[in-house]
Amino acid sequence: MTRINWSAKLLGILAAALFTAVAAAALPDNPYQRWQQVENTLFANAAWSYERIHFDPRPVDVAIIGPSRSQIGLSAPRIAERLAALGQPATVANMSVIESGRNLEWAIADELFKVKHPKLLIILVGETPNRWGHPGFKYVAPAAAIAWPPQPFLHNSLYDITYLPFRQMRLFAASLFPETFGLRTRFDPARYAALPTDFTTSQVLTDGKLIDMDVAHSPDELRAEARAFAATQQASLIPPALAPVIEADDPVYVGAMARLAAAHNTRVLFVFLPEFGGATTIEGQDFYAKFGPVENYGDLARDPGMFQSFAHLNRRGALVASDRVAAAAAPLLAAATRDRYAPTTGGGLVDQRSRRYPAGAD
């Protein structure tokens, strides 16, 4: 009787499975279809951002990047209006996406700098550095960025990598049969024009939830909401010695975004929007300050009339914050303009691309 070498057989099966997964992960995809995967989800503003970058001919002079706090807490039209009044007309785009995760924010910034030439990148920061990657990163990021993260062992990295082969097989099939998978190959200008771009006004989200931006709650209501949310959170199980390696989403990807900005002579401004009654200081302020000024609006935390929920500003709070951001951004834009339009030895201008289109907001 022939004895079966089960160890060798198991290793063979594992090797074949690994080879198949690697081959699937290496399949090509259509980047536009890749970003469409988050349409009709809470992360839909990421898909809009891709279209704004690649299909909208207007420049992006000021880009806002962050989670829901900046998506519904900063108004691009208001900032553009105030900048114009301050003598610094600029086109402003809010590319923030619901939920936290610097890796997705970096993916948006990476696309932005491939095509546009922003003068200022505004990055929202929290009271504590972000530890986890964004759940939408695995859907939209380039395969290489998922397979080879800038630092190994980051939170979500293994989960994202294991999803990659399935994603690439689906996207490869979608590139051949787009209608079957509901992913477009062509840009639809009418659909794009109908999408919301200012989330500081009341609206219904893709999950059917109404966000009433004109509401004002009592301090007790906001505190009760904050306590209920805190009860759902769990303490980190990562040993403190490993935290700088595993819970490093914030420094790794903020640093990467800052380097992208520096390579394109783009100024960086960090903005802190607080929770109601929450911390008014920024734990990572010294780190952020290495790359650009930090605006701390922690004083807003004391006014319940500024909040739509315990963690998000309402319309009134958003307008106050947007006016402050415009005031902080104006001198940075002026400095960036001086640098970019400095006379060359030939008497010309360094860069005239952003003068092709009228300034304004999305």
Side-chain angles (χ1 to χ4, degrees), residues 6-28:
W6 290 107
S7 298
K9 189 173 183 178
L10 178 60
L11 289 175
I13 293 172
L14 292 175
L18 179 61
F19 175 81
T20 302
V22 170
L27 288 171

Side-chain angles (χ1 to χ4, degrees), residues 186-201:
R186 294 184 179 181
F187 174 61
D188 183 350
R191 180 189 176 280
Y192 170 74
L195 294 173
T197 58
D198 184 4
F199 294 89
T200 65
T201 58

Side-chain angles (χ1 to χ4, degrees), residues 65-83:
I65 289 180
S68 56
R69 283 199 206 180
S70 52
Q71 183 174 350
I72 70 174
L74 293 176
S75 169
R78 179 71 169 214
I79 293 172
E81 175 187 326
R82 296 303 303 150
L83 285 172

Side-chain angles (χ1 to χ4, degrees), residues 58 97 215 266:
R58 292 173 298 165
V97 181
V215 71
T266 299

Side-chain angles (χ1 to χ4, degrees), residues 99-120:
E99 293 210 27
S100 299
R102 295 297 191 189
N103 52 3
L104 178 61
E105 295 170 16
W106 165 83
I108 293 171
D110 186 54
E111 293 295 329
L112 177 67
F113 283 107
K114 289 177 182 177
V115 179
K116 303 297 186 181
H117 308 276
K119 299 176 184 177
L120 178 64

